Amino acid sequence: MDDILLLDAIERYKNGEMTTQERIFLEELRKNNPDIDQLAVEHIFFLQQLENAANIKHFKQSLDEVESKLVNEGVIARSELKGKAKLVYLWNRSRRNIAVAASIALIVSIFTAGMFSAYTKKNTDKVITPLVDYKFKQVDAKLKQFEKKLDQAAVVSALPVAPKPKIEANFRATGFLIDVTGYIVTNAHVINKARNLIVENKKGDQFYASPVYVSTSTDLAILKINDTSFRNFTSLPYSIRKSSAELGEQIFTLGYPRDEVVYGEGYLSAKSGYSGDTSSYQISISVNPGNSGGPVINRNGEVIGIISSKETNADGVVFAIKSKNIYNALDEITKSEKIKLPSSGTIKGLDRVHQIKKIEDCVFMVKGN
Amino acid sequence: MINNKEQLLLEGLAANEAGAIETIYRENYGIIQSFILKNNGYPEDARDIFQEAMIVLYQKAVSDSFELSCQVKTYLYSVCRRLWLKKLQQLQRYNPAIEIGEETIPIDEDLEDHEKKNEDFLLMEQAMDKIGEPCKSLLEAYYFQKKSMPEIADFFGYTNADNAKTQKYKCLVRLKKIFFAQYKNGG
């Protein structure tokens, strides 16, 4: 205990928090007692080291913030997510994906078609056949998916009256309603570079939207649907949690890593996010590009977070922004926007299937270019 | 050599102001990136090297004997050039036949100083990792995030600030022990 008092005294001495009297007393003590002097010298040196480390850490954080801002602005070339970049954002630059999917499908269909004709003609080539079988199974799903997409695309373009001029989107992510009049929360990194934004519900209805709030520091954005065809909801099924969630809470999410809504579930694994970031949680859940901006909901039907990113080198290490940040954001725009968050959810106690049925109408695909 | 604007910039840098950092990035990043891309590097190499050079500049700006005898631009370029040469040699991607840039200003001392400080920093980080929880979070909350003792007591569930303080000192003593054990072994 005496040691602690002494260390405390030395620390206050170093920080200049002592009264003159105290200081003189400590200096006397050091002068008359070499052991204490030695301890003081050592401890001050150590505290200095600790302070230096803290400063460097802060400075590195600032560097990272500035860097990611400039990467988003295009001043710094985006790297291929190697080495330093340990986080991947979960929104989907789908143009490239679709191109890849298309080329895979093309190659595979030529390949399998060739193989089929070869196989049906002569059943001799036994070394190759099982290989093809295997591959065929593997790519079958992809092919089907692609064909389905093609069919959908064909249907859409066959209809002469498209509901509205669509924009050619080059990314896809997720967002969800926080107000019945059409305010949607998503990630800032999703919409940062977008010129045009649309949101799409699970039926495929598209609405124009524009950001009313963007914060790169919390990575939150709020969009407002400004489209006459949007009908206000009567109520939202979930509420937005203001206090912190608990470790180990079962959670689930809905999102658009694909063209249709996808469900995933997991648990809250830590109360802080990437490298101790206290504005987010670490959760364990399976997500893919496109899940960014999706709600993280607990079993009581409260939104506790917003999916934002995952760690590249580790499986299932996903980060979600704490829902509290939505409240903070609203405080900032309270003058210009009238947003009323849902006060109580209506899905508490329902089984999961019914919870999802109610929620999925409120989860939107966020697209744009 | 050094004008008023640069002086302000460096003061901002020493105070860890995002605005100053951003200005320095905007004015210098392009040159460094094209230098590194031209010399066998990737964009992410440029980011790493530039960050490290910024830390060198920061350490210089906060040091007592701070004095910059040339423009920030020249200084950063020289530091980056040296750091990149060293990295190339480590990666064995260096081809001595290629002459990369010219020697600009002497920066040996600064780099040595930086290396020493970097070692100390890593040592502290390692010691922090070794003391375990809740010590690590507690010390980080106090010394890194500069939280107050009542806040910490509340967050970590101590009954009052004095209890938290006692715990903090116990943790600090442990951290010091681990730190000096490594420090005296020459890191």
Side-chain angles (χ1 to χ4, degrees):
Chain A
M1 196 58 204
D2 284 350
D3 274 356
I4 289 177
L5 275 179
L6 188 60
L7 291 181
D8 184 42
I10 296 171
E11 188 162 346
R12 289 196 299 127
Y13 174 78
K14 176 188 171 277
N15 295 340
E17 293 163 1
M18 277 190 158
T19 61
T20 327
Q21 237 175 345
E22 282 179 309
R23 212 176 55 232
I24 293 170
F25 179 73
L26 185 70
E27 278 164 2
E28 278 296 310
L29 203 63
R30 284 179 65 175
K31 217 184 281 170
N32 300 326
N33 195 329
D35 280 350
I36 289 182
D37 187 51
Q38 166 72 25
L39 182 71
V41 171
E42 189 189 84
H43 199 60
I44 288 173
F45 172 79
F46 172 71
L47 287 174
Q48 189 57 52
Q49 289 287 339
L50 198 56
E51 198 184 310
N52 289 349
N55 287 340
I56 294 279
K57 237 184 150 138
H58 281 150
F59 185 68
K60 281 187 172 175
Q61 266 170 16
S62 312
L63 284 181
D64 283 340
E65 275 163 25
V66 169
E67 202 188 83
S68 63
K69 180 180 170 200
L70 295 179
V71 168
N72 279 332
E73 281 179 27
V75 178
I76 296 178
R78 201 179 282 277
S79 58
E80 299 89 71
L81 290 176
K82 223 169 79 178
K84 244 197 137 44
K86 293 201 189 74
L87 288 176
V88 264
Y89 285 132
L90 301 171
W91 88 114
N92 199 355
R93 294 273 159 198
S94 51
R95 192 183 274 169
R96 196 184 63 193
N97 286 13
I98 288 173
V100 171
S103 42
I104 290 174
L106 183 67
I107 292 166
V108 163
S109 52
I110 293 170
F111 189 53
T112 45
M115 276 307 156
F116 261 115
S117 56
Y119 185 71
T120 41
K121 254 188 244 159
K122 265 188 202 171
N123 197 359
T124 48
D125 216 350
K126 281 196 174 123
V127 189
I128 296 171
T129 327
L131 241 178
V132 173
D133 226 89
Y134 171 67
K135 274 203 167 174
F136 182 71
K137 257 187 217 152
Q138 201 183 41
V139 293
D140 197 19
K142 272 189 187 153
L143 244 175
K144 272 201 184 129
Q145 225 179 312
F146 186 66
E147 275 168 0
K148 199 174 143 205
K149 267 188 202 158
L150 270 181
D151 285 346
Q152 285 169 345
V155 171
V156 171
S157 52
L159 287 169
V161 268
K164 58 178 49 127
K166 290 198 184 69
I167 59 174
E168 196 193 331
N170 59 13
F171 68 84
R172 180 185 61 212
T174 307
F176 59 97
L177 279 177
I178 54 164
D179 180 288
V180 290
T181 59
Y183 286 94
I184 287 178
V185 161
T186 187
N187 290 134
H189 72 254
V190 168
I191 58 151
N192 242 343
K193 282 177 77 181
R195 279 170 293 137
N196 302 298
L197 280 171
I198 43 173
V199 295
E200 186 178 319
N201 64 16
K202 68 160 181 155
K203 286 177 229 146
D205 303 331
Q206 299 188 332
F207 309 100
Y208 285 110
S210 57
V212 293
Y213 173 84
V214 183
S215 161
T216 45
S217 60
T218 56
D219 197 15
L220 260 194
I222 299 175
L223 313 178
K224 166 101 177 87
I225 296 179
N226 34 26
D227 206 311
T228 46
S229 61
F230 178 76
R231 294 281 137 79
N232 287 359
F233 281 56
T234 47
S235 71
L236 295 180
Y238 42 72
S239 59
I240 314 283
R241 192 171 167 130
K242 199 168 189 177
S243 55
S244 181
E246 296 300 324
L247 268 192
E249 263 193 74
Q250 300 289 326
I251 45 143
F252 65 96
T253 188
L254 290 172
Y256 286 94
R258 294 168 46 192
D259 267 344
E260 68 176 276
V261 67
V262 174
Y263 169 79
E265 64 181 26
Y267 52 87
L268 190 98
S269 25
K271 284 188 175 183
S272 67
Y274 184 65
S275 66
D277 173 12
T278 51
S279 69
S280 57
Y281 298 117
Q282 181 184 327
I283 58 178
S284 178
I285 199 167
S286 164
V287 290
N288 288 300
N291 272 108
S292 253
V296 179
I297 304 173
N298 69 10
R299 60 195 298 181
N300 293 333
E302 297 170 301
V303 174
I304 64 154
I306 302 105
I307 293 203
S308 67
S309 54
K310 71 174 176 184
E311 202 165 324
T312 323
N313 314 342
D315 268 350
V317 178
V318 175
F319 301 108
I321 304 158
K322 293 182 182 171
S323 51
K324 202 177 94 186
N325 292 301
I326 299 178
Y327 286 91
N328 298 344
L330 293 193
D331 285 344
E332 285 182 41
I333 52 169
T334 173
K335 286 207 182 103
S336 53
E337 306 291 330
K338 285 214 164 46
I339 303 182
K340 193 174 168 296
L341 293 180
S343 51
S344 63
T346 56
I347 50 172
K348 187 176 180 176
L350 290 184
D351 69 61
R352 191 53 51 85
V353 173
H354 287 95
Q355 286 185 328
I356 294 168
K357 279 213 173 105
K358 300 221 165 180
I359 294 170
E360 63 183 352
D361 291 328
C362 307
V363 178
F364 287 73
M365 191 191 293
V366 177
K367 301 202 288 191
N369 60 22
Chain B
M1 279 294 266
I2 199 156
N3 60 33
N4 238 346
K5 191 195 139 223
E6 296 235 305
Q7 189 61 42
L8 281 178
L9 215 51
L10 289 167
E11 277 165 20
L13 189 73
N16 195 1
E17 281 167 14
I21 297 174
E22 192 178 323
T23 310
I24 299 181
Y25 255 92
R26 284 189 191 279
E27 287 174 358
N28 298 283
Y29 191 80
I31 304 169
I32 303 300
Q33 179 172 264
S34 60
F35 162 75
I36 284 173
L37 293 184
K38 248 187 265 165
N39 290 291
N40 246 343
Y42 297 101
E44 58 264 32
D45 293 323
R47 287 164 69 165
D48 288 351
I49 294 287
F50 196 80
Q51 276 215 358
E52 200 174 342
M54 285 295 278
I55 292 171
V56 176
L57 185 65
Y58 168 75
Q59 281 166 339
K60 199 169 167 65
V62 293
S63 70
D64 302 331
S65 58
F66 170 58
E67 186 185 335
L68 197 59
S69 54
C70 62
Q71 284 189 318
V72 169
K73 184 173 280 196
T74 321
Y75 187 79
L76 278 177
Y77 177 80
S78 310
V79 173
C80 286
R81 179 184 168 275
R82 282 286 289 277
L83 291 174
W84 182 235
L85 266 177
K86 201 173 150 201
K87 184 89 183 282
L88 281 178
Q89 276 158 355
Q90 279 169 1
L91 295 172
Q92 303 187 317
R93 268 196 249 154
Y94 179 55
N95 181 352
I98 302 170
E99 178 54 43
I100 71 173
E102 310 141 39
E103 182 72 36
T104 38
I105 51 157
I107 41 166
D108 285 335
E109 263 176 47
D110 290 355
L111 285 182
E112 261 170 42
D113 186 48
H114 165 67
E115 240 160 62
K116 173 80 183 67
K117 282 184 175 146
N118 200 28
E119 272 170 23
D120 291 348
F121 173 71
L122 292 177
L123 221 55
M124 190 60 82
E125 290 261 278
Q126 282 167 11
M128 273 284 194
D129 283 337
K130 277 188 190 157
I131 53 170
E133 296 293 357
C135 272
K136 185 180 181 217
S137 305
L138 201 139
L139 291 180
E140 278 183 347
Y142 187 78
Y143 288 103
F144 290 8
Q145 290 147 28
K146 313 278 185 210
K147 292 219 166 78
S148 73
M149 270 298 151
E151 269 180 296
I152 290 175
D154 187 42
F155 186 82
F156 289 93
Y158 293 106
T159 42
N160 57 46
D162 278 342
N163 278 350
K165 204 167 171 181
T166 311
Q167 186 59 41
K168 187 205 93 180
Y169 274 104
K170 284 182 184 161
C171 292
L172 194 66
V173 170
R174 270 174 63 188
L175 181 74
K176 193 162 89 167
K177 222 172 171 177
I178 295 173
F179 177 79
F180 277 122
Q182 286 165 311
Y183 192 81
K184 283 166 184 164
N185 284 336

